[in-house]
């Protein structure tokens, strides 16, 4: 199966998940939330090579210098108890790593391009004046390119390129809490995988409504993924504080 065909199939699968709301959801009006986020994320990348495992870590302050481009955004459409939630992440960065064999290589770097697109269909199983609980299921698609460069000291420089695209089914739970008329909190957890891939995510935020349309949110987010490769296994971890602004209409 070609990469282009897989990308198309992955996109179609996510699109079908997002369009699968039951007809009952058409009985009330839609409400939309659009969010743009700034994630102060530390990044950890691990990948196996023929010379051993390479582990690279990049703090947010270092990532600002080495980051080529990043985007983080979330959209939600709600109709009664039903909701469609999407989340898009894109990173293009380079991280340095300790050499797996000090006598052979002088330095190591891992160039990482990753797009993560998540889509859920959620149903509100409980709601009162203070707490709302949503349960959902969906898909998370990954498009990854990892280029590991081992700069030779006593051997030639070696480059190992890995490209893999896949989709993980996921289940999710979210709790919304009203602390006051303006202050609110959100807890969200999801997890899934296919056997040779796995992913999970945790999010905790506190928000403040500026008015009927605008809200600010801040908290902590963690996202992890592992997948099998021809050389062993690779993994990505993003973790750190997050700030966001949401527009509702």
């Amino acid at each position: 199966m070609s990469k282009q065909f897989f990308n198309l199939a992955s996109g179609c699968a996510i699109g079908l998940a997002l369009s699968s709301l039951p007809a009952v959801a058409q009985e009330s009006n839609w409400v939309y939330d659009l969010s743009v986020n700034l994630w102060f994320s530390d990044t950890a990348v691990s990948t196996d090579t023929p010379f051993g495992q390479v582990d690279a870590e990049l703090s947010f302050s270092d990532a600002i210098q080495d980051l080529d481009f990043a985007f983080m955004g979330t959209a939600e459409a709600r109709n009664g108890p039903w909701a469609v939630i999407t989340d898009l992440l894109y990173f293009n960065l380079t991280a340095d790593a300790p050499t797996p064999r000090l006598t052979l290589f002088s330095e190591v770097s891992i160039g990482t391009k990753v797009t993560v697109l998540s889509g859920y269909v959620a149903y509100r199983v409980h709601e009162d004046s203070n707490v709302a609980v949503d349960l959902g299921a969906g898909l998370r698609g990954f498009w990854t390119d990892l280029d590991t460069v081992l700069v030779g000291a006593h051997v030639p420089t070696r480059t190992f390129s890995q490209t893999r695209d896949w989709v993980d089914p996921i289940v999710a739970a979210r709790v919304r809490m009203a602390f006051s008329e303006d202050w609110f909190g959100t807890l969200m957890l999801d997890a899934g995988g296919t056997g040779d891939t796995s992913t999970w995510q945790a999010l905790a935020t506190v928000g403040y409504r500026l008015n009927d349309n605008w809200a600010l949110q801040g908290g902590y987010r963690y996202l992890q993924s592992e997948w099998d490769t021809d050389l062993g296994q690779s993994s990505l971890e993003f973790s750190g504080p997050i700030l966001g602004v949401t527009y509702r209409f």
Side-chain angles (χ1 to χ4, degrees), residues 32-113:
Y32 301 93
D33 287 340
L34 301 179
S35 302
V36 177
N37 305 310
L38 177 60
W39 194 1
F40 301 91
S41 172
D42 293 336
T43 303
V45 186
S46 177
T47 186
D48 289 328
T49 75
F51 298 95
Q53 181 174 287
V54 174
D55 298 306
E57 295 185 0
L58 192 65
S59 67
F60 176 77
S61 58
D62 292 334
I64 289 297
Q65 302 176 10
D66 297 323
L67 191 68
D68 294 319
F69 183 74
F71 176 80
M72 288 151 279
T74 305
E76 177 175 345
R78 174 166 294 279
N79 194 323
W82 292 95
V84 176
I85 305 167
T86 62
D87 181 73
L88 175 64
L89 303 172
Y90 175 79
F91 292 95
N92 183 357
L93 52 84
T94 301
D96 295 329
T99 58
R101 297 186 181 180
L102 293 176
T103 58
L104 296 181
F105 304 101
S106 60
E107 59 182 277
V108 178
S109 67
I110 302 179
T112 305
K113 294 180 182 180

Side-chain angles (χ1 to χ4, degrees), residues 71-230:
F71 176 80
M72 288 151 279
T74 305
E76 177 175 345
R78 174 166 294 279
N79 194 323
W82 292 95
V84 176
I85 305 167
T86 62
D87 181 73
L88 175 64
L89 303 172
Y90 175 79
F91 292 95
N92 183 357
L93 52 84
T94 301
D96 295 329
T99 58
R101 297 186 181 180
L102 293 176
T103 58
L104 296 181
F105 304 101
S106 60
E107 59 182 277
V108 178
S109 67
I110 302 179
T112 305
K113 294 180 182 180
V114 57
T115 301
V116 184
L117 176 60
S118 305
Y120 317 81
V121 175
Y123 183 80
R124 182 148 290 176
V125 297
H126 171 79
E127 185 173 16
D128 58 36
S129 59
N130 296 317
V131 177
V133 180
D134 296 310
L135 299 179
L139 302 170
R140 175 168 296 138
F142 290 87
W143 293 262
T144 64
D145 289 289
L146 269 62
D147 292 317
T148 305
V149 180
L150 287 74
V151 179
H154 302 289
V155 296
T157 296
R158 303 291 300 273
T159 299
F160 302 95
S161 298
Q162 303 176 33
T163 299
R164 183 171 178 182
D165 309 326
W166 73 94
V167 175
D168 284 330
I170 51 178
V171 293
R174 185 179 66 181
V175 179
R176 287 274 178 87
M177 298 160 287
F179 303 133
S180 68
E181 184 176 349
D182 297 322
W183 289 93
F184 62 95
T186 302
L187 297 173
M188 184 171 180
L189 180 68
D190 68 45
T194 60
D196 61 346
T197 64
S198 65
T199 182
W200 73 278
Q201 175 180 224
L203 173 70
T205 62
V206 174
Y208 179 77
R209 293 184 182 88
L210 300 174
N211 51 47
D212 291 340
N213 299 110
W214 292 96
L216 301 177
Q217 298 185 68
Y220 189 88
R221 184 177 185 178
Y222 177 88
L223 174 65
Q224 186 263 1
S225 179
E226 294 183 352
W227 64 97
D228 293 340
T229 71
D230 293 338

